[in-house]
Amino acid sequence: MSDLMAEGITIVEDLYKSREPVPEMKAIYFMSPTTKCVDAFIADFKLKPKYKAAYVYFTDYCPDDLFQSLKLYCAKYIRVIKEINMSFLPYEAQVFTCDNPGAFRSIYSPQSQDKRKTMETLADQIVTLCATLGEYPGVRYKTDGSMGNTKALAELVDNKLARHYELEDSGKKKEKTQAQLLIVDRGFDPVSPILHELTYQAMAYDVIDIENDTYKYKPKNGSEKEVLLNEEDMLWVRLRHMHIAEVTAQIPKLVKEISASKKQPDGKKTDHLHLAEDCMAQFQKNVEKLCKAEQDLAVGSDVEGTKVKDPMRTLLPENLNKLIQHVKIENEKEFILNWKTLGVNIIISPSLFSRKPTRRDRSEEETYNLSRWTPIVKDVMEKHKASSQDERRGARLIIFVIGGVCYSETRCAYQVTQAVKSCEVIIGSSHIVTPTGLLEDIKALSKGPMETFTISESA
């Protein structure tokens, strides 16, 4: 908000909410090119203009019928109208989302009534990302068995990219760039998003109640404080991918470096010490005793390399029912059973933790005992990195995960980019998932379709 005010913008309001007219002021409209948005805009000017003039910026291509409606009712008030190709959310330097958590249900629920529409919307958003980056990538997808989601989305994106660049270049054919867009499905790696991850960012969002990227805490002597965890917090950016065991020791050192460069005052030190302490408190209270079992099952062996005997490998339906009864989750069995809607078969061999493809050998890499698992997407990134060094030097890799991306996977994008400077990896999804959030979404897949209501305001 401070950045907007510095540019002379005095107030930011919701297009859909009732607003007081300010006829002496000009208004900037930043909106999606949808019927709902355009109708709301027209209502601001059709009868009695709320503002002196309008500067309209659409996040994506505006269909002709909507454009004609604007022209018919509001032409004399519109000073600028532009399509800026940005119907996605730049979450971090190398992470983006489509800001659509509901896409998970729309795509995976057996009762979904808007799967195709959701896929179309996601494809449009991915195209605007590519356009913003100046890329016309080759589009690939990782097959997801009988699901067909990755193929369907890849075909939509490829076709929409071709149409976009035909429109952009007015008939002049734009050549493909060296970039590659890879589309994978959440079922491609069901393990990473539900493990307790012990790097700072992933752990904080897992075990601490952080809403809208805001961490709240109450100092011993003072009122509650709110801390926004984003790219402007240089200490957060430097710390977020470190293992929690290193964070507390690194905070004073990094504060000195950042303060010396005059990029940021050292006031963030206390905030992050508090957050790290809160994370460690939760770790010691609940998480630590789970981590060893999780890592052993995920990796398939213990710290010494002894293979784990996994009785879940040959889990039969009757045994699964006994297991559910034993752990007393009869009323919450959907947490387990609904994985099948993601193409993850947990009843007939192999089990959730044992359905691992051939993995890169990382036995020589230094790691913490409770952090031995590596997300499968990192193997994919590194495979692309190896080929791009020889064939497409400097090529950018964009990965889109249908159904949500987790923080351990976003971390991999930075790690691979750092290892090979010539290959930037960007990763995104419909939304960011945490272990609890994903499991709640999976449980909810059994519910029927959401009812919608239209509430009309009386004149």
Side-chain angles (χ1 to χ4, degrees):
M1 188 65 196
S2 59
D3 292 338
L4 291 174
M5 292 184 72
E7 296 296 329
I9 296 172
T10 56
I11 187 169
V12 177
E13 295 188 299
D14 190 324
L15 178 62
Y16 302 132
K17 291 183 179 177
S18 178
R19 288 162 280 123
E20 288 296 320
V22 193
E24 69 278 7
M25 293 187 71
K26 299 172 185 176
I28 297 173
Y29 285 78
F30 184 70
M31 59 190 187
S32 301
T34 63
T35 301
K36 183 179 180 182
C37 286
V38 170
D39 286 350
F41 173 82
I42 291 172
D44 282 355
F45 292 92
K46 188 175 180 180
L47 298 177
K48 187 177 180 181
K50 273 187 165 66
Y51 309 105
K52 183 178 180 180
Y55 295 74
V56 181
Y57 296 89
F58 284 116
T59 59
D60 198 357
Y61 171 74
C62 181
D64 290 343
D65 59 329
L66 295 182
F67 185 83
Q68 289 303 320
S69 295
L70 289 174
K71 187 176 176 181
L72 178 63
Y73 295 110
C74 310
K76 67 179 181 179
Y77 299 107
I78 297 174
R79 297 291 181 268
V80 170
I81 184 166
K82 286 187 176 181
E83 299 158 344
I84 61 173
N85 292 322
M86 196 177 167
S87 58
F88 63 94
L89 183 66
Y91 187 69
E92 291 178 2
Q94 291 175 231
V95 182
F96 70 95
T97 82
C98 296
D99 197 24
N100 185 5
F104 185 89
R105 181 181 179 82
S106 296
I107 292 171
Y108 294 113
S109 172
Q111 293 87 27
S112 175
Q113 299 174 354
D114 61 350
K115 179 174 179 176
R116 178 70 186 186
K117 181 180 177 183
T118 299
M119 296 284 265
E120 290 268 5
T121 301
L122 291 177
D124 287 333
Q125 292 176 289
I126 294 170
V127 168
T128 68
L129 169 82
C130 295
T132 300
L133 295 172
E135 299 284 13
Y136 186 1
V139 182
R140 298 184 293 141
Y141 64 92
K142 192 164 185 66
T143 54
D144 50 0
S146 60
M147 300 290 289
N149 292 329
T150 55
K151 181 181 179 183
L153 185 58
E155 289 175 348
L156 283 170
V157 172
D158 203 32
N159 292 334
K160 288 175 182 287
L161 276 169
R163 288 202 300 272
H164 172 81
Y165 281 114
E166 282 175 8
L167 289 167
E168 282 288 294
D169 294 341
S170 304
K172 182 182 176 183
K173 184 175 175 62
K174 181 178 174 69
E175 297 296 325
K176 292 263 187 179
T177 57
Q178 291 183 324
Q180 293 288 307
L181 168 64
L182 175 63
I183 296 172
V184 300
D185 191 86
R186 185 62 275 165
F188 145 83
D189 178 5
V191 176
S192 296
I194 61 171
L195 287 182
H196 284 96
E197 163 80 23
L198 300 182
T199 50
Y200 187 41
Q201 180 185 41
M203 187 178 188
Y205 278 81
D206 179 13
V207 302
I208 305 298
D209 185 19
I210 295 174
E211 293 185 13
N212 299 318
D213 301 317
T214 302
Y215 164 59
K216 298 178 182 179
Y217 73 94
K218 192 169 184 178
K220 291 180 179 178
N221 300 312
S223 55
E224 184 178 75
K225 188 173 182 183
E226 294 187 356
V227 182
L228 186 60
L229 304 173
N230 63 10
E231 297 286 285
E232 294 184 8
D233 183 344
M234 296 301 297
L235 189 54
W236 169 249
V237 171
R238 296 282 294 275
L239 290 168
R240 63 188 173 195
H241 298 144
M242 289 185 184
H243 195 278
I244 191 64
E246 304 167 7
V247 170
T248 303
Q250 287 293 320
I251 289 175
K253 177 184 173 184
L254 292 176
V255 165
K256 286 183 181 179
E257 286 183 22
I258 294 169
S259 298
S261 65
K262 297 182 180 178
K263 288 184 178 178
Q264 197 171 64
D266 64 1
K268 292 287 184 179
K269 176 180 176 180
T270 304
D271 298 336
H272 287 287
L273 284 172
H274 264 277
L275 179 54
E277 287 172 5
D278 280 355
C279 286
M280 284 305 299
Q282 291 299 318
F283 173 74
Q284 292 162 357
K285 180 181 177 183
N286 300 312
V287 177
E288 186 175 12
K289 53 192 172 187
L290 298 173
C291 283
K292 182 184 183 301
E294 288 180 356
Q295 291 294 312
D296 288 354
L297 282 171
V299 176
S301 60
D302 61 19
V303 176
E304 284 75 34
T306 304
K307 288 194 176 297
V308 175
K309 291 182 180 179
D310 182 5
M312 302 282 281
R313 287 180 190 275
T314 53
L315 193 63
L316 299 174
E318 57 269 27
N319 293 336
L320 177 60
N321 289 332
K322 288 179 183 177
L323 175 65
I324 288 172
Q325 290 170 10
H326 180 69
V327 295
K328 300 178 181 178
I329 58 167
E330 291 95 334
N331 296 328
E332 298 179 323
K333 59 187 177 183
E334 293 86 359
F335 281 128
I336 298 174
L337 300 180
N338 285 355
W339 280 98
K340 65 181 181 291
T341 63
L342 277 69
V344 179
N345 196 339
I346 60 163
I347 294 179
I348 300 171
S349 178
S351 76
L352 180 67
F353 280 105
S354 63
R355 64 187 298 276
K356 297 186 288 292
T358 303
R359 298 298 308 273
R360 174 177 171 176
D361 181 13
R362 299 182 185 274
S363 57
E364 300 302 314
E365 295 182 8
E366 287 189 21
T367 186
Y368 289 87
N369 290 342
L370 299 183
S371 300
R372 288 172 286 131
W373 171 260
T374 300
I376 295 175
V377 78
K378 190 173 185 181
D379 291 358
V380 175
M381 294 173 182
E382 290 174 333
K383 186 176 180 181
H384 170 85
K385 173 196 74 175
S387 63
S388 69
Q389 281 182 295
D390 301 324
E391 301 168 22
R392 299 182 299 275
R393 193 155 194 83
R396 181 184 266 142
L397 174 63
I398 305 166
I399 294 180
F400 187 83
V401 185
I402 298 174
V405 65
C406 63
Y407 288 107
S408 60
E409 292 170 326
T410 63
R411 183 186 77 248
C412 293
Y414 293 92
Q415 290 174 331
V416 174
T417 301
Q418 184 65 28
V420 180
K421 304 287 194 300
S422 62
C423 175
E424 182 186 32
V425 181
I426 293 174
I427 191 167
S429 182
S430 51
H431 62 303
I432 307 284
V433 295
T434 60
T436 301
L438 178 60
L439 290 172
E440 290 292 345
D441 285 343
I442 286 171
K443 182 185 179 185
L445 291 175
S446 298
K447 298 177 182 177
M450 295 283 289
E451 293 186 36
T452 56
F453 301 90
T454 301
I455 301 174
S456 57
E457 295 183 7
S458 57

